[in-house]
Amino acid sequence: MIKLLKQEKQYEIYQSSTIIFHKKKILTVIDTIRPRLQKMFSNPDTTKIYGLYNFFSLTACDEHCYELFTDLKIVIRNHLQTNKPLWFQCWLNYHKKDEVLDWHDHDWDYHGYISLYNTNDTKTEFKEYTIDNKDGQIYIGPGHREHRVKVPKNFKGSRITLGFDIVTKPTSPANISLIPL
């Protein structure tokens, strides 16, 4: 189930009960696919290879990841207020405190992220606003927004999120990370 927590002019934040109730099971799936991705693409950073896979394609047969995919579809359709065709890519961000992302943007129509694990002591700072991250929340807003992750309070272990980008018009068929929504 999805609940709208915050609605601003340019972005929204939702709460996903799927993450709250099934976090451990989703993290188990991530612990299974992450080493496979790293080996398949010879890269330890699943963020850097985001254009080579879609998280939900890799986890399509897991019921809890399917529920999370359904939550995400609701969030995206709610935010964009459209039934027109959409495409999206989704990737795994798995970072220690000194590996979090610095200033960057997404050259896509819309961008968002799903806070899965160990995100409570972090913030996502945009030039225009700051999001206080909390496990179980989904952020969605416009693309083309410079942002970074801030760690005001150190955390142990890894911070795990799923990033996603959305396009409203199809791009090159060579983009293998995009799937229909």
Side-chain angles (χ1 to χ4, degrees):
M1 186 165 87
I2 286 293
K3 178 182 177 185
L4 179 63
L5 296 178
K6 185 172 188 177
Q7 186 173 28
E8 294 291 332
K9 185 176 181 180
Q10 299 178 8
Y11 69 90
E12 294 173 335
I13 298 174
Y14 291 82
Q15 179 70 51
S16 166
S17 62
T18 300
I19 298 168
I20 301 303
F21 295 125
H22 303 297
K23 184 190 308 192
K24 283 185 181 180
K25 291 178 181 174
I26 293 169
L27 291 173
T28 298
V29 172
I30 288 170
D31 287 342
T32 301
I33 66 162
R34 183 170 169 254
R36 290 180 186 167
L37 274 171
Q38 293 168 319
K39 184 177 180 181
M40 185 184 325
F41 296 110
S42 301
N43 194 323
D45 190 346
T46 55
T47 302
K48 289 182 180 174
I49 56 173
Y50 74 94
L52 300 175
Y53 71 98
N54 190 299
F55 176 82
F56 289 107
S57 293
L58 297 174
T59 61
C61 292
D62 179 80
E63 65 181 311
H64 304 298
C65 290
Y66 177 79
E67 283 181 53
L68 183 56
F69 174 66
T70 301
D71 287 353
L72 184 57
K73 288 192 300 186
I74 292 167
V75 165
I76 292 170
R77 294 283 178 192
N78 234 21
H79 183 73
L80 299 183
Q81 294 292 300
T82 185
N83 287 320
K84 291 181 180 179
L86 299 170
W87 295 263
F88 85 109
Q89 61 183 0
C90 182
W91 63 93
L92 174 64
N93 296 312
Y94 199 106
H95 299 125
K96 303 234 182 274
K97 67 179 182 237
D98 58 340
E99 299 170 334
V100 297
L101 298 172
D102 203 358
W103 289 109
H104 68 285
D105 69 358
H106 298 257
D107 194 21
W108 300 87
D109 298 332
Y110 298 92
H111 168 68
Y113 60 91
I114 301 170
S115 296
L116 287 174
Y117 179 73
N118 218 8
T119 63
N120 294 346
D121 292 327
T122 66
K123 297 175 183 292
T124 302
E125 181 181 10
F126 292 82
K127 297 285 186 180
E128 302 83 3
Y129 50 87
T130 299
I131 305 297
D132 292 323
N133 297 310
K134 298 206 180 336
D135 291 359
Q137 292 185 354
I138 301 173
Y139 161 88
I140 185 169
H144 309 283
R145 285 276 154 102
E146 242 190 307
H147 60 283
R148 67 179 172 178
V149 177
K150 295 288 289 178
V151 183
K153 183 179 169 187
N154 284 341
F155 61 86
K156 292 181 181 178
S158 295
R159 176 184 186 270
I160 304 172
T161 64
L162 298 176
F164 62 90
D165 295 319
I166 305 154
V167 293
T168 56
K169 292 187 175 25
T171 63
S172 164
N175 190 328
I176 60 174
S177 64
L178 287 174
I179 61 174
L181 190 64

